[in-house]
Amino acid sequence: MPLQRILEIDYLKCVFILLMVTFHLVYIGDSYPYAKQIVYTFHMPGFLLISGYLAQSMKDMRKGLHKVLWIFIPYACMELGYTVASYLLPVRERITELTASVLLDKLFLHPIGPYWYLHTLMICFVLYHFAYRWGRNDVLTRAVVFGLALFGLHACGVIYWANGLYFLAGCVLHWCGLNFKQFFHPAWIAVVPLVLLCIYPENLDRSRLGGVAITYFCFCLLLWSYRYVPSRLARLSGFIGRNTLPVLLFSPIFTLLSRYYLPLFSFDSTGICFLLVSVSLAVAGSIGIAWTMDRLRLSAYFFGKGKSVQS
C-alpha cells in the first residue's frame, strides 16, 4: 500500500535542498567552513534516509527499473554537462583532461558535483529490489543482503558505504512499520544534544556515531519547528520539497553563474545578501527550467513524465 503523503517530509526535503544550494555557493562555504561541515554531516544523509523510507515502489521489478531509468537519463545529461563545465571553467572540482575514459568514470563510478546523490540513489534502489526479493518477509535477512551487497560495492570503490547505510536505515524503518514522526520524535529539547555534538569536530562525520546522532536530532528539531511555520511558508516549503529533483539537477547552473555577480555584493561582508539572492535564483530558476520543459513537452523525454513540476 502506498504511503500517505507526509507533509513534514516535504518540509524536511525543502530545508535539506536549500542547505545543499547554500553551501554549493563557494563564497558561502569558504566564509563559513564550520557551518558547512555541520550541514554536510546531515543534509544528504537525511535525503538518503527519506528516500529509503519512501522506496517501497522498488518492490516491483518493472516499476523499479522504469524509475531507475528515468533517474539515470537526467543524471547522465547533467553529470556529463557538469564534467565538461569543470574542464572548461575555473571551478574548484577542476577536470584537467576531457577524454572518453574520464567521462565514463564520472558517469558510472565517481560522479562530481551534487549528482553523486543520484548515482548513490540508483544503486540503492537496485539493491533495495534484490534485498526485498531475496529477503522475503524477514527484515533482518533483507538488511543483511542489502548490507553485504553495499559493502562489496564500497570495497570496489563504486559507492560510499555510509551513504548507503542511511538509505538502508530508512528502508528498515518502513519494513518494520515504524511511524516516521514517532521515531523522529518532534521536540525542541533536541537542540541541546545537537549543539553539544556539533561543538566537537570529530562528530562531524556522517560515518561516525556522532554524525548519526546529529542527523537524528536534526530530524527531531526540524519536525518540531514545522508546527510553528506560518501556513504560507509551509505551503511554499511543501512546494519546494516536492520539487527537489529539478533543484538538485539544475541548481549547479546558477551556483556556477553566481561567481560572476558576487562582486556586486561587496558591500555585505557577511555574505547573507548574496546567499539570499543566489539561493532564491537557484531554486526559482531550477523549477522554472523544469516548468518550461513541461510547457514545451520535453519532460516526457527527460524525466519520463509529462509534468515534472509537482504542484
Side-chain angles (χ1 to χ4, degrees):
M1 180 182 297
L3 285 172
Q4 184 178 3
R5 189 163 205 101
I6 302 173
L7 298 180
E8 288 87 345
I9 286 183
D10 290 332
Y11 172 68
L12 290 173
K13 290 168 64 180
C14 171
V15 173
F16 294 155
I17 201 70
L18 293 179
L19 289 173
M20 184 206 79
V21 175
T22 295
F23 286 99
H24 279 175
L25 297 167
V26 174
Y27 178 73
I28 299 300
D30 290 347
S31 300
Y32 301 95
Y34 201 76
K36 178 179 179 179
Q37 198 174 354
I38 292 172
V39 168
Y40 273 43
T41 303
F42 70 86
H43 75 317
M44 296 314 282
F47 259 125
L48 287 163
L49 193 151
I50 290 171
S51 297
Y53 185 76
L54 301 176
Q56 74 276 9
S57 63
M58 297 305 296
K59 297 174 186 177
D60 182 271
M61 178 176 285
R62 184 176 178 181
K63 290 181 180 179
L65 291 176
H66 183 268
K67 187 168 185 175
V68 170
L69 172 66
W70 289 108
I71 293 175
F72 178 77
I73 288 174
Y75 158 77
C77 293
M78 300 309 297
E79 173 62 26
L80 291 175
Y82 193 90
T83 302
V84 172
S86 298
Y87 173 74
L88 298 174
L89 301 175
V91 296
R92 181 161 296 179
E93 293 181 291
R94 180 78 173 164
I95 301 296
T96 57
E97 60 177 352
L98 195 63
T99 62
S101 61
V102 169
L103 291 173
L104 291 173
D105 176 74
K106 299 306 176 188
L107 182 60
F108 292 106
L109 296 177
H110 307 112
I112 56 175
Y115 306 116
W116 69 263
Y117 168 77
L118 296 178
H119 179 266
T120 297
L121 188 63
M122 288 185 287
I123 293 173
C124 286
F125 276 155
V126 173
L127 294 184
Y128 179 103
H129 174 74
F130 286 106
Y132 190 88
R133 285 175 62 92
W134 294 342
R136 300 183 182 275
N137 293 321
D138 185 73
V139 174
L140 179 60
T141 304
R142 291 178 194 167
V144 169
V145 170
F146 191 110
L148 289 175
L150 183 65
F151 181 79
L153 291 174
H154 171 76
C156 296
V158 177
I159 188 174
Y160 181 45
W161 67 274
N163 293 329
L165 286 179
Y166 281 98
F167 182 93
L168 176 57
C171 294
V172 171
L173 285 180
H174 177 70
W175 290 337
C176 293
L178 297 175
N179 183 284
F180 190 87
K181 291 185 288 184
Q182 289 178 349
F183 182 82
F184 296 103
H185 181 66
W188 68 268
I189 197 68
V191 71
V192 176
L194 184 59
V195 170
L196 291 175
L197 286 164
C198 290
I199 288 173
Y200 300 98
E202 59 268 24
N203 291 321
L204 305 183
D205 184 341
R206 67 186 66 177
S207 65
R208 293 189 175 186
L209 185 59
V212 174
I214 286 173
T215 302
Y216 177 81
F217 289 121
C218 279
F219 269 73
C220 296
L221 185 61
L222 288 171
L223 289 172
W224 169 80
S225 71
Y226 180 73
R227 66 186 68 176
Y228 299 103
V229 176
S231 58
R232 288 186 179 181
L233 190 57
R235 288 195 294 271
L236 177 61
S237 67
F239 175 73
I240 295 173
R242 290 188 294 275
N243 292 285
T244 53
L245 179 58
V247 177
L248 187 145
L249 286 169
F250 302 126
S251 62
I253 297 171
F254 298 93
T255 55
L256 286 172
L257 290 174
S258 69
R259 67 178 62 240
Y260 296 106
Y261 61 76
L262 173 61
L264 299 176
F265 295 89
S266 58
F267 63 89
D268 178 19
S269 61
T270 67
I272 301 302
C273 292
F274 170 72
L275 183 158
L276 293 174
V277 170
S278 298
V279 171
S280 299
L281 284 175
V283 172
S286 298
I287 296 176
I289 290 174
W291 179 83
T292 302
M293 294 177 73
D294 290 349
R295 300 285 291 180
L296 296 175
R297 300 183 179 180
L298 298 175
S299 293
Y301 306 101
F302 192 76
F303 292 101
K305 51 187 176 183
K307 186 178 179 183
S308 61
V309 177
Q310 305 299 309
S311 59

